Amino acid sequence: LGPDDKQLAKDKAHVAEFYCVQGKYKPAGPLFREALAISEKANGVDAPETGTIAYNYGGLFYDEGNFAEAEKMFKRGIKILEKTSTDENDVAMKSIALADVLDMQSRPEEAQTVYKKTIASLEKNPDPSGLIACLKSYQKHLLIQNKKDEATKIAARIKELKADMAKQAKSE
């Protein structure tokens, strides 16, 4: 593999992710930086591979508590993937982490905007599991904001979706 090889970028990103799963963040950072730089050269700055690496790099920053950098990388990755990915559900699910990082930075209005956009996108998907996951996060957001009435409505929606899933599973 050459120094600017697509596979090298992918391999470095996978090793970085492996370190993150083990809680070894220090060696993961340089690997993500290198993977991102290689992917930008090999795949292009707006390629889906670059978007995925940027997003996952944001996850490292999130785990380290560096929410400003996490936000930057999440936004970059999501922006690229919104333009290039064929999996709208995956992109929407990634947006939940962005909403969470905005909440962690005491920016609830921005987080709410992201949640609402994500929920609208996930509502279109026939599989409600992603929507349920997003609604649970949104419910937590609402409770933190002391919006108990809205959170109760979201809880009812989650219950309704789960009941629909159970009915569908029984009929299959």
Side-chain angles (χ1 to χ4, degrees), residues 56 62 76:
N56 291 339
Y62 183 90
R76 180 175 176 202

Side-chain angles (χ1 to χ4, degrees), residues 61-81:
F61 287 122
Y62 183 90
D63 290 343
E64 291 178 322
N66 186 343
F67 301 125
E69 285 300 312
E71 176 189 354
K72 189 168 98 176
M73 287 291 124
F74 284 159
K75 282 182 174 178
R76 180 175 176 202
I78 291 167
K79 182 179 178 184
I80 293 168
L81 294 171

Side-chain angles (χ1 to χ4, degrees), residues 20-90:
C20 288
V21 168
Q22 294 180 328
K24 297 178 181 177
Y25 305 127
K26 193 169 186 162
L31 287 168
F32 270 127
R33 264 192 307 280
E34 292 169 20
L36 190 56
I38 294 167
S39 185
E40 288 171 341
K41 279 185 179 178
N43 298 308
V45 293
D46 289 328
E49 299 85 357
T50 303
T52 298
I53 292 170
Y55 177 85
N56 291 339
Y57 194 10
L60 167 66
F61 287 122
Y62 183 90
D63 290 343
E64 291 178 322
N66 186 343
F67 301 125
E69 285 300 312
E71 176 189 354
K72 189 168 98 176
M73 287 291 124
F74 284 159
K75 282 182 174 178
R76 180 175 176 202
I78 291 167
K79 182 179 178 184
I80 293 168
L81 294 171
E82 282 177 333
K83 289 189 251 175
T84 61
S85 178
T86 57
D87 188 348
E88 286 182 40
N89 195 50
D90 179 59

Side-chain angles (χ1 to χ4, degrees), residues 72-149:
K72 189 168 98 176
M73 287 291 124
F74 284 159
K75 282 182 174 178
R76 180 175 176 202
I78 291 167
K79 182 179 178 184
I80 293 168
L81 294 171
E82 282 177 333
K83 289 189 251 175
T84 61
S85 178
T86 57
D87 188 348
E88 286 182 40
N89 195 50
D90 179 59
V91 176
M93 293 301 294
K94 285 177 172 30
S95 296
I96 296 170
L98 174 59
D100 189 39
V101 85
L102 292 167
D103 265 339
M104 298 299 283
Q105 296 177 90
S106 300
R107 291 163 50 201
E109 295 82 13
E110 291 174 70
Q112 182 148 343
T113 299
V114 173
Y115 276 121
K116 287 186 175 187
K117 178 182 174 188
T118 303
I119 290 166
S121 177
L122 291 169
E123 288 275 6
K124 299 179 221 166
N125 193 312
D127 176 10
S129 57
L131 177 58
I132 290 169
C134 184
L135 288 171
K136 285 180 179 180
S137 292
Y138 184 49
Q139 180 187 26
K140 183 179 96 177
H141 161 83
L142 292 170
L143 288 170
I144 290 168
Q145 300 307 310
N146 230 4
K147 296 179 179 179
K148 293 181 176 117
D149 290 344

Side-chain angles (χ1 to χ4, degrees), residues 151-163:
T152 300
K153 290 176 187 173
I154 297 297
R157 177 76 172 118
I158 292 167
K159 187 175 180 179
E160 175 187 305
L161 287 166
K162 286 181 175 181

